[in-house]
Amino acid sequence: MSPALPVPPAPVSPVAVTGMGVVSAAGITLAENLASLERGRVNAAAPPFPTAHSFPVFRCPVQGLCPLEDAAAFPGVFRAPGPSAYTRTVGLALTAAREALHGAGIAPEELPGLRAGVVVGTSVGASLNFLDFYKAHAAGQNPPLDEIGQYLASNPALALARLLGCRGPAQTVTNACSSGADAIGLAAFWIRSGLCDVVMAGGADELSPISYAGFSSLRLPSPEPCRPFDAARSGLSLGEGAGFIVLEGETSRNRRAAPARAFIAGYGTATDAYHLTAPHPEGRGLAASAAQAFAQAGAGWGDVAFINAHGTGTTANDAAEDAFFRTRCPKTPFIATKGSTGHTLGAAGAIEAIFAASHLHTGALPPSPGFCSPDPAMGVAPVKEATPVSGRLALSQSLAFGGNNSVLLLAKGEA
Amino acid sequence: MSALPPLAAFALPRPVAVEGLGCAGSFGTDPASLAAGLASPLVSVEEGGLAAKTDTSSLNNFLPARTLRQTDHFTRMALLAALRALQDAGVSPDAPGTGIVLASGYGPAAPTFQFLDSLIEHGEAMASPLAFSHSVHNIPAASIALKLGIAGPCATICQMESSVASAFTAAFSWLAEGRVERVLFGAADEHTPLLARVSRRLAAAGTDGDPSGPPGTAHSGVEKSAAGQSWNDFARRHLPIGEGAAFFCLSLDAQRARRGRINGAGLLGQNPGQNWRSGAYAAVFPSCRLILVSGVPPKHAEFPTRTGAECAPQAGAGRKTLCAARAYGNIPVAQAFDLALLAGGAFPGIDEAACLNFSPQGYLGALRFCAASAESARPDARDDAPGAAGPSAPARKEQPRASEPSARHPAESRAQRA
C-alpha cells in the first residue's frame, strides 16, 4: 500500500527576496556564476586533498576559508596563523550572505537593530567530521581540542548569526541535499508569521574528504565531470559553495523602499517513504511536494516558465526526475546546472533557487552545462542552448538522501 | 548587557496540542521511568548509569525484525519513541497528514565514527557505505518515515543545545500552514565513548578557563559564582553524557490535548537572557510555577538551581526552578526531555511551566507548557473530548494499556502478523 499523501497547504502571500548572493566553483559572486553558466563552463578540478580516487570535484576558486575582501572585519574567521576558529563552510556562507545583504541595501550594522533571523541548510557543515582529531584519538593519543572547538563554533546558522549580529531565531536544517531549499521554505514562514523582519536564508557546504570518501563508497561519483541527463552520464561530481537570499517582510521593505528581486511564492516538501538512498522511480514524493508548492502559490503548471532540475547526473536521480517531467510537465523547459557548480549538497537547493530567480528575471535559460546528447531511455531532455522562457513562475526542485523532496516556486520580482 | 526578552517574544498564535508522548533512554522506555530518574542517585559512566545503552528491544513489539535489520542505535531510539508517541495519541502510523521533525544536537554520532573507523582502518576503497549513509543527519527521521509509511514533510534540525526550540518552530510552521494535521516532533542524541571523553575534557578546560577556545563556546572561559561554583555546574558538569529520544505527537486540535498544550515558544540569540537575576523569569513567565532549565546559563544569570531529588516532590509548592538533567544526563536535546517530564505528569499540581534552554552559543530557547489537567478545567475544554482527561487524571488509569490486546497499536499488530 502506498503511503498517504500529505495535505495541500492553504494559499499564502508571496515573500519578497530583496537580496541574493552565490559563491561556488563557477565564481565568487552571483554575477560570476551566471556568466559562467552562460558560457557553459565546466568548472571541475582535481580534489584538493589526498585521495585514492580520481573523481573530479568543483571547488570554489579561493585558497583560504572564503574570498571576502573585507576579511579584517571578521578576524575570527580568518585567524592566522594557526587553526581557524570557523570552518570553510561558515566562510562560504558568510561570503554569500554578505553579497545578499549588500544587494538588499542592508548595511551589516543595521542587522542587530532588526528582528533578523538566520536559516541555513547544510550537510557537511553539521557533521562530526573532525578527522585529524579522530585519527589521533584512535591511535590512543590525547589530541588538542582545536578541531572540536572549531566544530562547536561553526554550526552554520549559529555562526552566521553571530558573525552578522542577527539577534533573532537561528536554524540549521540538515535535510541532506534538499537542505538549502528547505531552509528557504521554512524561513518564508518566519516572515509570513511576523516572527522576523528579515531572514538570511540559504545553504552552505564545503568539500570534505570524508563526504568524498562516503559518496565514493556508495559508487556515486563520476570519473568525468558530471553530465546531468546526458546519455553518457556516469554519476555525480561533488562541489562546494553557498547561496543566500534576504527574505524581507512588507513592512520592512516598504520602510526602506526596497524592491523585490524575486518572490517565494510557494514551498512544498514531502518524503518518498520508499528507500533511504534512492529516489522513488516515478518521483512520488516530488509530485507531492510540487502539489504543495502550487497550492501555496495558488498556481498551476500553466504558470511555470521553466524548471531548475536537481539533475545530479546519477542514473537513479535523473530517471526519477525524467519520470516526473514526462507525466506532469512534458512541454516545460528545464535546466540542470550542476555541470557548472558540481553537487554542493546542502547548498544546492539555495544556489539553484537563486539561479532560477535570476533566469526568470532575464527571461532566458543558458545551456545546461555538460549536457550534449539526450538519453534515448528518457522522455525529456534539459535545454541544450540558450532558450527564451516566459511565464510568471520558476520551479526549483531538490531531491535528497532519505527520500526528501522539496520544491520552491519563485515569482518574478520588481527589479 | 541585553534586556530581558518580553513575554511577547515567546507568543504562539495558536496553542499546540500534545496528543501523545513517547520516550526512550538510559532511564527506560516510558515517561514514568524518566520521572523516576529525578529522585534517583547519579551513577557514573563507569558504573553504567545514565550512559547505559538504551534498551530498544521493545521495538520488536511494533515492527517485524526484517524491518529493523541494519537499523542503527540512534534511529532505533528515535523510532521507538516515535511509535510510543503515536500509540499514546491513539494515532495510526500511516494516518494521512503526518509530518516528522527531529531535533538533534550532534546527529547520529556512532555511525559517523564507524565510518571514520572504516576509513582509517581499511582506506577509502573499503570504507563502509552503510555507515556513511547512516551518518547523514536526516537518515533517522527518514527511516521513521520509511518504516512507518509516513509520506509527509520530514525535517531534521541540528544545532546542538538550541535544536529543540528551533525544531519546534518548524513543526509549528507546518501545522499553521495546514501542510500537516499532526507532527511527530522529537529529539534524539546518542552516547559514544568519544563524545563522553571530549565532554569531560571540555568541562575541565572550561573550569580552567582555557584561553585557546573559540569565542562563544562553553570552554572559552567560565566565570564562577560567588560561592565559587562553576556555572557549568548548572546542568552539565559531573553528569555523564546521556542518550535517548523523546517524541511528541502534536496538532492544533485543542480537543486532543490529552497530554497538555505548548502555549508559548521562541528562540532568541545574542544572549537575550544575560540580564536575568534570581526570580526575574517571573516577569517573563508570570503564570509558570515551575521553570525547568537546561544548557549553560548566561554568565550573569542567577538561578536557584536544585537537583531533581530536592525539588520533584515539592514542585507544587510555590515557584521553583529546577535542572532535571539527573533524570536523563548531559544531553544537548535536554529541553525535549524537560518537556517530556511535564507532559508525562512528573510534576502533579503544576498547571503551567516553562522549559528554558541556554545554549553555549548564546541562544535562549523557551517552550511554555500548560498541563492537560489545567486545560480540562478551562470552560472552553470539552469534558467529552477524546482523551480529555490528562495523564495524571484518575480516568486515564482505567484506559487499556499497551500490553492489553485491545490497546494494541496498528504497527504492533503488523509485527505480530509478520
Side-chain angles (χ1 to χ4, degrees), chain A residues 1 3-10 50-53 79 85-86 123 126-131 133-135 137-138 140-146 148-153 155 157-158 161-162 165-176 182 185-186 189-190 192 195 209-218 267-277 292 296 400-404, chain B residues 2 9 13 94-98 105-109 112-117 119-120 124-125 127-130 132-139 142-143 145-147 149-160 162 165-170 172-174 176-181 193-195 197-198 201-202 205 210 212-219 267-270 359-361 363:
Chain A
M1 191 178 74
L5 293 176
V7 183
T51 171
H53 300 294
R79 181 192 294 178
Y86 297 95
S123 185
S127 295
L128 299 163
N129 283 349
F130 24 76
L131 184 57
F133 179 91
Y134 194 86
K135 275 183 181 169
H137 167 77
Q141 299 167 8
N142 204 29
L145 293 169
D146 292 336
I148 304 294
Q150 188 189 53
Y151 170 83
L152 292 173
N155 182 274
L158 304 182
R162 183 187 309 125
C166 297
R167 293 169 182 257
Q171 185 163 82
T172 297
V173 183
T174 52
N175 280 2
D182 290 318
L186 288 164
F189 176 81
W190 289 8
R192 283 194 201 100
L195 188 62
I210 296 171
S211 57
Y212 183 88
F215 277 92
S216 300
S217 74
L218 291 167
Y267 162 60
T269 179
T271 311
D272 286 336
Y274 168 74
H275 192 277
L276 281 186
T277 56
Q292 281 185 41
Q296 268 206 328
F401 252 34
N404 268 36
Chain B
S2 58
D94 53 5
T98 303
Y106 301 124
T112 304
F113 298 148
Q114 284 160 12
F115 181 70
L116 294 182
D117 282 335
L119 194 57
I120 293 167
E124 280 182 281
S128 166
L130 183 68
F132 176 71
S133 58
H134 284 209
S135 75
V136 178
H137 281 26
N138 71 328
I139 289 300
S143 296
L146 176 62
K147 293 178 195 305
I150 296 172
C154 190
T156 300
I157 307 300
C158 188
Q159 54 190 82
M160 296 175 281
S162 55
S166 176
F168 181 81
T169 67
F172 179 76
S173 76
W174 292 351
E177 288 176 330
R179 201 180 291 280
V180 295
E181 292 175 10
L194 176 59
L195 287 182
R197 185 174 176 181
V198 166
R201 288 187 62 194
L202 287 174
D210 178 4
S212 67
T217 61
H219 67 289
L267 178 68
L268 298 174
Q270 307 287 311
S359 83
Q361 291 79 25
Y363 279 80

Side-chain angles (χ1 to χ4, degrees), chain B residues 218-242:
Chain B
H219 67 289
S220 61
V222 177
E223 291 195 1
K224 295 188 176 182
S225 69
Q229 179 194 40
S230 164
W231 290 119
N232 269 1
D233 286 342
F234 179 62
R236 311 206 306 174
R237 284 195 70 222
H238 309 310
L239 276 172
I241 287 278

